[in-house]
Amino acid sequence: MKRIFATSRIGDPAENRLREHGYELEVFQGPEAPPKTLIIEKVKSGIDALITTLRDPIDAEIFEVGKGSLKVVAQIAVGFDNINRADANKYKIPFTNTADVLTEATAEFGFFMLGMLARKMYSSERLVRDGKWPSWHPFLPFLGDEVTGKTIAIIGTGRIGLAMIKKCSGFDMNILCYDPAYQNHNYIASIQAVMDLRHATGVQKERTWIKYVELEEAMRGADYVSIHVPLLLDIETDKPTYHFINEKMLKLMKPTAYLVNTSRGPVVDEKALAKALKDKVIAGAALDVFEKEPLPADSPLLDPEIADRTRLFHHFASGGQITRLSVDPDKGMAGRTAQAVIDVLEGNYGGDPAKMPYVVNKEAFEEK
Ligand code: GLV
């Protein structure tokens, strides 16, 4: 019988699907991640598949003990910076992710974070709850900033960046795009055509625009900056994104501009960001991801002095019911993870990982 170890629950429907396939599934009940020593122990015991979350460091140490038995690592996330790709390739172990099914959920959450930050929704609700709402007033005790008609910079135009563009265009925003590695000019042209049609038909009063620009122009010109790049270290690429948003970048932004990050925490230098918020170099930030998760109690981002302009979330952007738990591989991360395991263990696609849709490191299996 094939054996699977999951480092976390992935919900009944997907877990049952694996069991119905005749696999023996052992699940670490959490809710925290298991220690790496436990993962090593399980892999060493000869499991065929390992289901991981972004909290599990997966590297040569794991692949070494899985030599000859471990057939796939299936990650329930689109990001896979916790998995050492070079090591997986060296050991020729396919690993999979859950791209696509979380694209819209993540982008909409990013947009809601932006709205919540700019329109000061948290401060407004606190006012009501704390009994500190004295009277309706034209501008007291504070005002927010509109989103409609403003300019957003989308840093990273992969799947989620493009979905964010789609949401923003619906709010009559102008859009500056930047991507160091991947540009989708067709998509941008389609969005411009939709913007033009909305304007021509009177759906939208002002004509809006979208264009690719250089990084500096994007950072300087935006009222909002939204980050959608993967975390890449300089040892793995010539275009690293670690601390991509640093003191220098923050200083390029308008003092009235807001930063939104739904990508990976280490893409932003948190110390530099907290200082920029304190010194009012920028107007605010909404963050769903952090350099260290959960966010440590002594993080400078928790400084009460910047609480009015800092919105913080628990890495929750993909956290919709269907997105996280649907057993349908075209809808849910759990369903896609289960299907990825099934593809490998049942030898679908002729047993060739290079042909399996959810395998990330296809290069390790492609014929040279
Ligand atoms: C979540 O952050 C993911 O990568 O899916």
Side-chain angles (χ1 to χ4, degrees):
M1 188 190 262
K2 300 251 169 57
R3 290 199 297 126
I4 306 168
F5 178 67
T7 66
S8 163
R9 298 265 346 252
I10 60 168
D12 285 334
E15 289 171 22
N16 289 341
R17 177 148 195 252
L18 289 168
R19 293 199 170 101
E20 280 156 17
H21 268 256
Y23 307 141
E24 187 184 309
L25 172 66
E26 188 190 344
V27 179
F28 184 77
Q29 296 295 319
E32 73 289 354
K36 191 177 181 192
T37 47
L38 182 69
I39 303 177
I40 290 173
E41 186 189 305
K42 296 295 172 189
V43 173
K44 209 171 178 174
S45 79
I47 56 164
D48 298 274
L50 175 66
I51 292 177
T52 56
T53 74
L54 48 82
R55 308 166 302 175
D56 307 313
I58 305 297
D59 56 18
E61 212 182 343
I62 308 254
F63 296 124
E64 178 63 30
V65 292
K67 250 178 23 199
S69 50
L70 184 66
K71 295 173 189 68
V72 60
V73 174
Q75 164 114 329
I76 181 160
V78 61
F80 48 80
D81 42 274
N82 58 308
I83 299 175
N84 188 313
R85 186 172 191 148
D87 288 351
N89 289 357
K90 198 165 114 207
Y91 285 86
K92 281 201 171 298
I93 304 289
F95 71 92
T96 66
N97 73 346
T98 62
D100 303 316
V101 290
L102 50 71
T103 300
E104 299 297 334
T106 304
E108 75 173 27
F109 195 90
F111 191 84
F112 296 152
M113 283 166 61
L114 185 159
M116 185 171 172
L117 172 68
R119 296 300 301 269
K120 296 195 166 51
M121 291 182 183
Y122 178 78
S123 305
S124 167
E125 185 170 346
R126 286 299 301 266
L127 212 60
V128 177
R129 289 190 179 279
D130 296 351
K132 292 190 176 144
W133 177 25
S135 170
W136 188 92
H137 187 278
F139 55 84
L140 293 178
F142 48 72
L143 293 175
D145 288 313
E146 298 84 349
V147 168
T148 306
K150 297 287 182 59
T151 298
I152 187 164
I154 301 292
I155 307 298
T157 56
R159 298 177 196 87
I160 299 171
L162 294 182
M164 183 70 166
I165 285 171
K166 187 169 54 159
K167 316 280 179 224
C168 293
S169 68
F171 274 77
D172 304 1
M173 298 185 85
N174 295 306
I175 305 170
L176 295 164
C177 306
Y178 173 77
D179 194 307
Y182 166 82
Q183 305 202 336
N184 191 331
H185 291 281
N186 282 344
Y187 191 94
I188 268 50
S190 302
I191 293 286
Q192 185 65 64
V194 173
M195 287 171 162
D196 290 347
L197 182 66
R198 283 165 61 104
H199 180 238
T201 52
V203 168
Q204 183 177 312
K205 211 160 121 211
E206 306 285 335
R207 182 181 182 272
T208 49
W209 46 261
I210 180 166
K211 58 184 176 183
Y212 272 106
V213 292
E214 291 302 325
L215 178 59
E216 197 168 319
E217 190 179 341
M219 298 302 288
R220 284 189 194 285
D223 302 303
Y224 301 94
V225 173
S226 188
I227 311 294
H228 301 281
V229 293
L231 172 61
L232 294 168
L233 306 180
D234 54 7
I235 46 165
E236 47 188 347
T237 174
D238 58 348
K239 294 188 179 76
T241 58
Y242 177 80
H243 282 190
F244 182 76
I245 298 295
N246 50 26
E247 187 188 348
K248 187 171 149 233
M249 284 294 178
L250 291 162
K251 284 197 169 137
L252 292 177
M253 290 171 66
K254 296 181 191 175
T256 50
Y258 297 93
L259 180 74
V260 176
N261 188 16
T262 51
S263 64
R264 279 293 181 267
V267 172
V268 174
D269 178 346
E270 282 176 6
K271 244 200 204 147
L273 174 61
K275 185 164 183 328
L277 290 166
K278 204 159 180 160
D279 297 348
K280 303 205 168 152
V281 172
I282 65 170
L287 309 169
D288 187 44
V289 287
F290 302 94
E291 294 201 54
K292 191 162 187 303
E293 296 176 5
L295 186 64
D298 63 352
S299 166
L301 292 168
L302 291 169
D303 183 346
E305 211 187 299
I306 57 169
D308 61 338
R309 66 206 86 135
T310 312
R311 301 279 60 82
L312 309 170
F313 303 94
H314 71 287
H315 202 147
F316 193 39
S318 67
Q321 300 270 4
I322 294 169
T323 302
R324 284 275 171 89
L325 297 186
S326 172
V327 71
D328 181 343
D330 289 327
K331 293 204 167 78
M333 296 162 69
R336 189 159 279 220
T337 303
Q339 186 61 49
V341 169
I342 292 166
D343 283 348
V344 175
L345 296 193
E346 301 197 355
N348 294 342
Y349 302 92
D352 181 358
K355 296 203 175 84
M356 295 180 190
Y358 313 140
V359 169
V360 174
N361 57 335
K362 291 191 169 65
E363 69 277 6
F365 308 94
E366 269 153 2
E367 278 171 36
K368 306 255 153 60

